[in-house]
Amino acid sequence: MPEGDTVHQAASRLHTALAGHPLTRSDLRVPKLALTDLTTRTVLDVTPRGKHLLTRVEGNLTLHSHLGMEGSWRLYTPGERWRGGPAHQIRAILATEERTAVGYRLPVLELLRTTDEHRAVGHLGPDLLGPDWDPEQALRNLRATPDRSLGEALLDQRNLAGVGNVYKSEICFLLRITPWVTVGELPEETATLVPALAKKLLEVNRNRPARMTTGVDSPGRRLYVYGRASRPCVRCGTRVRQAEQGDPTRPRPTYWCPTCQKGPTP
C-alpha cells in the first residue's frame, strides 16, 4: 500500500525522468480529460505532497494524481514492454523522447491550474517528508479530536500527511500502546513522541527499496507487527493479532502484539 515514503520515491523517479523535457505523448484516460493534450509542453517538476503527486507542466498546469490503495506510476524506455497491468487499468501516459511514464489504477487524476493546487492538497496537514513539516502543528491537529483512536487519527491526512496503514501499526507498536488508545488518553510524553517518531520512520525509509522499522534488513523481519498476524512478535514471541479498524465501509487491517502493547482492543 503506498505511503508517504513510497510516494516520495515515485515523485523522485518521475522528476528525474521527465522534468526539463517536452512531452511527446499525452494520453489521459479519464472522461474529463479525454480530449486534453499536453504534448509539446515541458514538464517542470514532479512534487510529492503527502500521498499525492503533483506533476507540473508549463502553462500553469498541474496533473494531480493519487495512488490510492493499488495505484502506481511505472517508467519505461522506448521499446520496453509495459508490465504494470492490463491496458484497461492504464489511466495516464506521459512520454518524452527517452522515457514513458504510465499510471496504473489511479483513483484520482485531474488537471488543475498550478495556482489552484490548494484545491487538491490544501486540506492536508504538515507533510512528514515535505518542507512544511511542523511537529507542533501536527500534534495540535491530533489533539483536536481527543476521543478519536490514535490509529484512526494517524491515518487522517488532515492531521499529518504521509502515514498509512503500515506506519500506523508500527508507530503504535514502538510506543507500546494499541491503536485503539484514544489521543486524549496518551500521556504527555507519549503524545509529543508521536509526530517525531512518524517523521523518523518515514525519513529512514524515504529512499529504501524495502521498508524497514526493526533495523533488521532481512525478509520477514523488517517490520515489527504489520502483516505478521499469527506469527511470533519479533520482540517477545507472542503471536501478533490482527483486526479491522476505522470506517466500516473502508476498514483497515490493524496489527498489534497483545504483550508488548497496552490498551483497549476489539
Side-chain angles (χ1 to χ4, degrees):
M1 175 182 63
E3 309 213 8
D5 53 352
T6 307
V7 176
H8 173 87
Q9 292 173 25
S12 179
R13 290 192 297 269
L14 289 169
H15 180 85
T16 299
L18 303 179
H21 302 283
L23 292 171
T24 58
R25 182 180 179 185
S26 162
D27 186 355
L28 306 178
R29 300 181 181 181
V30 296
K32 284 186 177 181
L33 303 178
L35 300 180
T36 299
D37 185 7
L38 300 177
T39 56
T40 73
R41 296 177 186 264
T42 297
V43 177
L44 302 179
D45 66 76
V46 183
T47 297
R49 182 70 172 86
K51 297 185 182 184
H52 301 251
L53 281 167
L54 303 171
T55 302
R56 298 172 179 135
V57 299
E58 64 177 346
N60 191 35
L61 293 175
T62 295
L63 186 66
H64 166 228
S65 60
H66 192 287
L67 302 183
M69 296 291 288
E70 299 179 346
S72 68
W73 279 95
R74 302 289 187 92
L75 284 165
Y76 303 101
T77 55
E80 184 180 359
R81 181 186 175 193
W82 297 0
R83 301 178 302 277
H88 72 265
Q89 294 181 347
I90 295 173
R91 296 292 176 267
I93 302 170
L94 299 175
T96 66
E97 288 187 356
E98 297 182 353
R99 303 299 297 274
T100 298
V102 184
Y104 292 90
R105 300 172 297 279
L106 302 174
V108 175
L109 189 69
E110 61 176 341
L111 193 64
L112 307 166
R113 292 287 179 187
T114 300
T115 48
D116 290 337
E117 287 179 356
H118 62 276
R119 290 171 39 203
V121 297
H123 66 288
L124 298 175
D127 187 340
L128 284 153
L129 294 178
D132 69 318
W133 173 241
D134 182 341
E136 289 79 16
Q137 184 60 53
L139 183 57
R140 286 193 293 271
N141 293 345
L142 290 167
R143 283 176 161 166
T145 51
D147 295 332
R148 197 175 193 187
S149 71
L150 179 59
E152 291 183 80
L154 284 170
L155 288 183
D156 190 336
Q157 303 299 294
R158 296 170 297 181
N159 291 332
L160 65 171
V163 171
N165 215 36
V166 177
Y167 286 120
K168 173 195 75 174
S169 294
E170 297 294 293
I171 288 168
C172 290
F173 178 85
L174 289 166
L175 293 172
R176 293 181 175 268
I177 56 176
T178 68
W180 289 270
V181 171
T182 65
V183 174
E185 293 174 316
L186 296 175
E188 177 68 20
E189 60 273 19
T190 302
T192 56
L193 280 175
V194 174
L197 182 56
K199 171 72 168 174
K200 180 179 179 179
L201 291 180
L202 268 76
E203 281 286 359
V204 166
N205 286 286
R206 67 187 299 160
N207 295 315
R208 284 185 181 275
R211 186 178 291 127
M212 179 173 62
T213 59
T214 62
V216 180
D217 193 4
S218 174
R221 296 185 63 84
R222 293 190 177 103
L223 302 177
Y224 283 108
V225 289
Y226 185 84
R228 294 182 58 85
S230 298
R231 298 173 63 187
C233 171
V234 298
R235 177 180 285 166
C236 74
T238 304
R239 290 190 180 276
V240 172
R241 297 185 61 187
Q242 181 261 323
E244 304 294 336
Q245 183 180 26
D247 184 346
T249 64
R250 287 186 12 176
R252 303 290 185 89
T254 301
Y255 301 83
W256 78 99
C257 172
T259 299
C260 293
Q261 294 171 256
K262 306 302 179 183
T265 58

